[in-house]
Amino acid sequence: MSQRGLEALLRPKSIAVLGASDKPGRAGYLMMRNLLDGGFGGPILPVTPRYPAVCGVLSYPDVASLPLAPDLAVLCTRASRNPALLDDLGKLGCKTAIILSSPPAQFAELKACAARQGMRLLGPNSLGVLAPWQGLNASFSPVPIHKGKLAFISQSAAVSNTVLDWAQQREIGFSYFIALGDSIDIDVDDVLDFLARDGKTSAILLHLEHLSDARRFLSAARGAARNKPILVIKSGRSPQAQRLLNYPQGRDAAYDAAIQRAGLLRVRDTHELFSAVETLSHMRPLRGERLMIVSNGIAPAALALDELLSRHGKLATLGTATRQALRSVLPDGLTLSNPLDLADDATPARYRAALAALLDSSDYDALLIIHAPSAAAPSSETAQQVIELARLHPRGRQVTLLTNWSGEFSSREARRLFTEAGLPTYRTPEGVVTAFMHMAEYRRNQKQLMETPALPLGLTVDTAQAHSLIRRALDQGITRLATHEVRPIIEAYGLTTLPTWIAGDSAEAVAVADRIGYPVALKLRSPDIPHKSVVQGVMLSLRNAREVAQAANAMTERVAQAFPQARIEGMLVQSMASRAGTQELRIVVEQDPVFGPLILLGESEHEWRQADQMAVALPPLNMTLAQNMVRQGLKKGAIRTHRPLYSLDIIALSRLLVQVSNLLLDCPEIVHLDIHPLLACGGEMTVLDVSLTLAECQGDPEARLAIRPYPQALESVVTLKNGEQCLFRPILPEDEPLLKQFISEVTPEDLYYRYFSEITEFTHEDLAYMTQIDYDREMAFVAVKQNGADNTIIGVTRAYSDPDNIEAEFSVLVRSDLKKIGLGRLLLEKTIAYARDHGLRRLNAITMPSNHGMISLAKKLGFSVELQLEDGIVALSLSLADAPRQPPAD
């Protein structure tokens, strides 16, 4: 996350090579050769006592002899010399170093040395960095690199070399190519933050083997993904592969959940990786997901269609006007449908005529053109017709155009022409559809990020009761709680449960169930029974969870009368409930070694050994995120919605998932929760059996979470000058409608002071960016006037910190008719207090010289005020280390 030293690593002005060699085959020789051949324009300083010059460049015997402090040093020496050399470089003032090799036993010493000297490290065991726009090849790769708009980050030197070799053959260029190695200092999040701001980078491809800090990664990834598409390939999906990589073993589905939550797109294998590189190199924004397929043969089109449907893609439907346009230019006898088969005798002219008619249509969002080798339509000539039409047609640059020129020898030239024209091309129908679905899924992930969650209505929470019960259990040394012990805890968060029972052992319970005629399954616990046993009744007469509860309550009374001394732990409704329209689900909370708490959802009859048997999400959840989780489960078949009497109520299940998330957030002592089963009957969600595992929470309760939750502790109530009270709280994603209403009540002049431009309307995307913030990096406080259930935003203040958490840009905006009640000062004081507590050192802002109110307020609160005449602005700055805490407002 820190950007200190990243400029020196990725845009160095001078480079020293320690261990430079004039002997071919040595790492020091290869590094010098690559730096010189790459065209680096700054000083290259070889350091070695063995040669007076290396590759024709004057060398220096040691670090102390260097004429200047290099921005970047590359260590090509024996690993045993690394610590001493780092120390020498730090004393000289070097900012960053790339370490070729080092054993794991040395990592801690290297990291401590770099921290002591204020240096940044890439590696150890890093392939290096290539930045062709800077003429920089500070790597050990033998493969040259072209300039491009795609950045590649990898934790594996082997994968890096493979991708470089593949890209070189296809003349795919890069803005940056960064091999992280073991990442003891500079990590994925640091580089993502840098690339998010880099003007030469339009898309990022990321290869991951592990994460050292999930929260930092998610913060950086989400921030970067808001500006640029990011595709991820993750090694180690299986436990066996994770052991081979020697990284913490956890659920691979947790990575899926995290990647989707950050708005990235995951590809599954190296084939998809190469496909993704091709896609990102030429990707145009996808306006929708309807695909139109055109081919000169049925079989290739069928292969594409099969792949599209297997990935849940959407096939476009041609309208009447489009069919008529095609009929006027195509031979009689062709079936005008999607896929459109032009027949194996299709000529380049027929391709062009069909595509021209389709480009006039808006019945689809992406157009896939398939060409199989044909004497009637030579590959290169047909490709030239497509390229020319795409260039000349008015909609040629608006439509997402994908091509599949099959074959190898005969299609090589055609694929080269497409690449030069900036049109993505693929070797197989399956490959091009895979690429299209990458684009569609990425679009979905980005759209989900922008969805405005609804406030879940009617949620009840009694945190005090839950905390008291958990504290009592831990004080008594109890860490595993069964159903009757967990029941009051989850009921405190609004979850519906069934009562516990009094009865005898299995035989007695069978007799009772038979005698009293209640079709309820009992889960028993008795001193005579070492393990739980289940007695199953017949459920056919019970239509829903309410009838189950009524039957259970009645049975409780009868069983208590018959067996007053015996105990039954709970009740379990087995699969016969499904026949009556009741669905049995399972919700689990478990701990992942990388991402912390996970929430899992599936059906109760599965053992959940396969990834497709569960949906996984990271807390915290709101209603939108919970609904996305349920839909994910439905899509992959982990849960089913078809039931004879009652379909699954997605909203009700999502509310329950939010309740589970809230319980998990409020009670950090919960390490495992298993609701098994959960009866879902229409909108009724009833917990039948549940177990809970507790442990003392050590340190910051929020540190266990990969995503920082809503910081409720920052809420405060203030009194305004007019005597009214107002709630100051962090902004929520659910605030979008309130924020839109607030902005509508701010005058154009005040909006101009805030945004330095005339804004007539804020789009949904604008408002989503304002309300869906990362609480780790950004803070926005809203002043909320409460009137019963109605809330009104009357002011907003923001502070956005830099990745190093040193400085933050702030802003304050107050409703234009409420400027005389001290609201602006209270909001700014709230921001100052937050920034100081958050460890920031300085607050900065700019405003217009005519904004006298803001300038006056800043002076009162101790800000320095500087008029910058050339730019026509006023710069405001406050040192938080030196500034005294402000007295209460007048």
Side-chain angles (χ1 to χ4, degrees):
M1 195 173 289
S2 174
Q3 297 298 279
R4 178 181 55 83
L6 267 291
E7 189 78 17
L9 172 69
L10 300 175
R11 295 180 186 139
K13 295 182 173 59
S14 55
I15 303 174
V17 180
L18 282 65
S21 176
D22 225 12
K23 188 175 181 179
R26 296 282 187 179
Y29 174 84
L30 183 59
M31 178 59 66
M32 285 294 300
R33 196 73 272 158
N34 283 348
L35 285 170
L36 293 170
D37 293 347
F40 181 69
I44 299 175
L45 311 169
V47 178
T48 175
R50 294 189 176 185
Y51 308 99
V54 176
C55 299
V57 180
L58 179 68
S59 65
Y60 302 88
D62 52 37
V63 171
S65 304
L66 289 172
L68 54 86
D71 281 348
L72 172 63
V74 186
L75 277 62
C76 307
T77 60
R78 295 191 309 272
S80 60
R81 298 188 61 200
N82 288 337
L85 290 174
L86 278 183
D87 214 40
D88 292 342
L89 288 165
K91 292 174 182 175
L92 187 65
C94 179
K95 299 181 180 67
T96 57
I98 300 174
I99 300 178
L100 168 60
S101 65
S102 169
Q106 197 181 61
F107 289 1
E109 183 182 5
L110 293 176
K111 188 172 183 179
C113 179
R116 186 170 63 250
Q117 298 295 346
M119 294 179 65
R120 301 301 306 275
L121 300 181
L122 183 68
N125 306 311
S126 167
L127 180 72
V129 173
L130 297 95
W133 292 99
Q134 282 79 48
L136 174 65
N137 185 354
S139 80
F140 302 99
S141 170
V143 181
I145 188 171
H146 297 285
K147 295 178 181 178
K149 291 287 189 178
L150 174 64
F152 182 79
I153 310 169
S154 177
Q155 293 176 325
S156 165
V159 171
S160 299
N161 275 323
T162 302
V163 172
L164 274 175
D165 187 79
W166 179 88
Q168 171 65 16
Q169 182 182 354
R170 288 155 183 78
E171 298 185 353
I172 290 175
F174 297 91
S175 58
Y176 284 97
F177 202 98
I178 305 167
L180 296 171
D182 288 294
S183 306
I184 65 170
D185 177 29
I186 294 173
D187 211 339
V188 178
D189 52 279
D190 302 303
V191 180
L192 283 175
D193 278 324
F194 181 91
L195 294 175
R197 298 178 287 108
D198 179 59
K200 296 293 187 183
T201 301
S202 60
I204 301 169
L205 189 65
L206 174 61
H207 167 255
L208 283 179
E209 289 183 346
H210 72 288
L211 290 176
S212 56
D213 190 319
R215 181 181 286 189
R216 286 174 52 179
F217 167 75
L218 286 171
S219 289
R222 178 170 180 173
R226 284 188 162 185
N227 303 314
K228 301 170 183 181
I230 303 176
L231 271 67
V232 181
I233 181 171
K234 166 68 173 61
S235 300
R237 293 201 300 268
S238 66
Q240 295 89 337
Q242 292 170 5
R243 286 194 295 269
L244 181 65
L245 292 167
N246 197 28
Y247 291 123
Q249 296 182 41
R251 290 191 184 273
D252 184 67
Y255 276 91
D256 283 334
I259 288 167
Q260 184 177 4
R261 184 74 168 262
L264 319 182
L265 175 65
R266 182 175 183 178
V267 296
R268 309 302 297 183
D269 50 40
T270 51
H271 174 75
E272 289 193 7
L273 171 69
F274 294 146
S275 177
V277 173
E278 179 76 27
T279 305
L280 286 177
S281 298
H282 307 293
M283 190 168 80
R284 297 176 184 174
L286 190 63
R287 300 177 183 275
E289 298 183 19
R290 301 169 301 167
L291 181 64
M292 177 69 202
I293 302 173
V294 179
S295 176
N296 63 340
I298 287 290
L303 291 172
L305 182 59
D306 282 343
E307 187 69 16
L308 181 72
L309 298 179
S310 70
R311 291 176 174 265
H312 308 284
K314 297 179 181 178
L315 196 65
T317 301
L318 297 181
T320 302
T322 303
R323 293 176 186 273
Q324 290 176 347
L326 288 169
R327 186 172 291 109
S328 67
V329 297
L330 294 179
D332 294 338
L334 293 183
T335 302
L336 304 181
S337 60
N338 186 14
L340 175 62
D341 177 23
L342 299 179
D344 55 8
D345 63 344
T347 61
R350 187 182 299 175
Y351 263 98
R352 180 163 185 152
L355 297 182
L358 287 171
L359 284 174
D360 290 332
S361 170
S362 59
D363 292 340
Y364 61 92
D365 302 303
L367 179 59
L368 165 56
I369 307 168
I370 298 175
H371 178 274
S374 166
S379 293
S380 298
E381 184 179 339
T382 308
Q384 287 172 339
Q385 292 290 328
V386 171
I387 292 168
E388 183 179 350
L389 181 62
R391 180 174 57 85
L392 296 177
H393 196 282
R395 295 189 70 235
R397 292 291 177 184
Q398 301 172 14
V399 170
T400 299
L401 194 61
L402 305 165
T403 66
N404 158 225
W405 253 238
S406 299
E408 191 57 42
F409 175 77
S410 64
S411 302
R412 187 178 303 164
E413 174 66 14
R415 286 195 292 267
R416 185 188 65 80
L417 292 173
F418 281 126
T419 299
E420 290 178 352
L423 295 176
T425 186
Y426 305 84
R427 281 171 163 74
T428 65
E430 297 91 341
V432 67
V433 171
T434 296
F436 169 73
M437 291 309 299
H438 287 161
M439 300 164 69
E441 188 176 346
Y442 173 77
R443 181 177 178 271
R444 292 174 200 162
N445 289 353
Q446 287 292 307
K447 188 177 179 181
Q448 286 179 6
L449 282 182
M450 296 296 172
E451 290 180 3
T452 305
L455 284 168
L457 302 176
L459 295 190
T460 60
V461 177
D462 187 348
T463 56
Q465 175 180 328
H467 288 165
S468 173
L469 293 168
I470 290 173
R471 185 71 264 157
R472 186 187 312 165
L474 287 173
D475 288 344
Q476 295 175 8
I478 301 173
T479 58
R480 296 181 62 84
L481 281 64
T483 299
H484 65 286
E485 297 164 313
V486 181
R487 176 186 168 198
I489 297 175
I490 63 175
E491 285 182 343
Y493 279 78
L495 277 70
T496 302
T497 66
L498 290 178
T500 54
W501 292 272
I502 307 298
D505 61 19
S506 297
E508 292 172 328
V510 171
V512 171
D514 183 62
R515 192 162 66 240
I516 62 180
Y518 278 96
V520 178
L522 303 175
K523 182 167 281 189
L524 310 176
R525 187 180 293 275
S526 169
D528 301 325
I529 304 174
H531 303 289
K532 296 179 182 179
S533 62
V534 173
V535 180
Q536 181 175 319
V538 181
M539 294 299 303
L540 295 179
S541 64
L542 302 182
R543 293 191 302 275
N544 55 44
R546 180 171 295 138
E547 288 194 9
V548 173
Q550 291 171 350
N553 288 329
M555 185 178 186
T556 299
E557 297 178 8
R558 298 204 182 192
V559 171
Q561 293 173 5
F563 303 97
Q565 303 302 319
R567 297 185 61 82
I568 288 184
E569 183 184 79
M571 185 184 74
L572 181 65
V573 178
Q574 295 288 7
S575 59
M576 288 187 184
S578 302
R579 303 179 191 173
T582 302
Q583 187 169 1
E584 295 173 49
L585 302 175
R586 184 180 185 185
I587 297 175
V588 173
V589 171
E590 67 179 27
Q591 303 298 313
D592 184 82
V594 176
F595 295 99
L598 303 177
I599 300 176
L600 283 60
L601 170 67
E603 294 197 334
S604 64
E605 62 260 31
H606 295 311
E607 292 297 326
W608 290 10
R609 292 180 181 143
Q610 304 296 327
D612 60 0
Q613 293 177 336
M614 75 197 83
V616 180
L618 305 180
L621 296 180
N622 56 34
M623 283 296 288
T624 293
L625 295 170
Q627 289 176 60
N628 289 338
M629 181 184 185
V630 176
R631 293 190 185 106
Q632 176 197 3
L634 292 168
K635 178 181 176 182
K636 62 169 39 176
I639 55 177
R640 292 160 291 176
T641 186
H642 54 277
R643 284 295 182 270
L645 297 181
Y646 299 96
S647 61
L648 181 65
D649 190 323
I650 294 178
I651 299 299
L653 181 54
S654 300
R655 280 167 43 87
L656 187 138
L657 288 168
V658 172
Q659 291 169 304
V660 170
S661 173
N662 291 342
L663 171 64
L664 175 63
L665 297 180
D666 292 344
C667 304
E669 300 87 357
I670 295 176
V671 295
H672 190 269
L673 174 69
D674 191 351
I675 298 175
H676 183 204
L678 168 74
L679 271 191
C681 185
E684 298 179 36
M685 300 286 154
T686 306
V687 176
L688 294 186
D689 196 22
V690 57
S691 62
L692 187 63
T693 303
L694 303 174
E696 293 284 2
C697 179
Q698 306 295 331
D700 180 7
E702 291 186 357
R704 74 197 198 284
L705 300 166
I707 300 171
R708 189 183 179 194
Y710 173 78
Q712 190 170 7
L714 296 178
E715 293 183 353
S716 60
V717 177
V718 300
T719 302
L720 305 175
K721 285 185 177 180
N722 61 5
E724 293 183 352
Q725 287 193 325
C726 184
L727 173 65
F728 283 10
R729 62 164 173 80
I731 202 165
L732 284 162
E734 293 87 346
D735 286 330
E736 182 180 327
L738 297 180
L739 186 66
K740 184 176 184 179
Q741 179 62 32
F742 161 72
I743 292 175
S744 71
E745 298 178 12
V746 177
T747 64
E749 180 185 24
D750 286 344
L751 287 176
Y752 188 83
Y753 285 152
R754 167 64 181 88
Y755 295 103
F756 286 71
S757 62
E758 295 182 1
I759 300 177
T760 56
E761 183 181 4
F762 285 88
T763 66
H764 160 65
E765 287 75 16
D766 295 331
L767 294 168
Y769 281 134
M770 295 178 189
T771 54
Q772 300 183 28
I773 67 173
D774 182 345
Y775 296 122
D776 251 5
R777 296 185 161 207
E778 183 181 5
M779 183 52 65
F781 293 108
V782 289
V784 180
K785 189 175 180 181
Q786 298 174 303
N787 183 15
D790 294 330
N791 292 331
T792 305
I793 293 177
I794 59 175
V796 182
T797 179
R798 295 181 180 274
Y800 188 83
S801 61
D802 62 32
D804 293 316
N805 199 51
I806 295 174
E807 298 186 351
E809 299 290 331
F810 79 91
S811 63
V812 178
L813 185 62
V814 173
R815 211 172 75 183
S816 299
D817 60 334
L818 298 174
K819 288 188 175 181
K820 303 297 183 181
I821 57 176
L823 181 58
R825 175 168 184 158
L826 288 169
L827 283 169
L828 185 49
E829 288 177 344
K830 179 80 171 178
T831 298
I832 293 171
Y834 161 79
R836 181 182 285 112
D837 294 340
H838 202 59
L840 288 158
R841 302 177 193 172
R842 183 171 294 277
L843 275 177
N844 301 312
I846 56 174
T847 189
M848 307 291 291
S850 55
N851 191 357
H852 302 297
M854 185 68 230
I855 295 172
S856 174
L857 174 59
K859 287 179 177 179
K860 290 179 181 178
L861 295 179
F863 282 80
S864 64
V865 178
E866 179 186 357
L867 175 62
Q868 299 178 356
L869 290 173
E870 289 187 3
D871 298 323
I873 60 172
V874 174
L876 311 175
S877 183
L878 177 67
S879 173
L880 298 172
D882 302 332
R885 295 186 180 271
Q886 300 300 324
D890 297 334

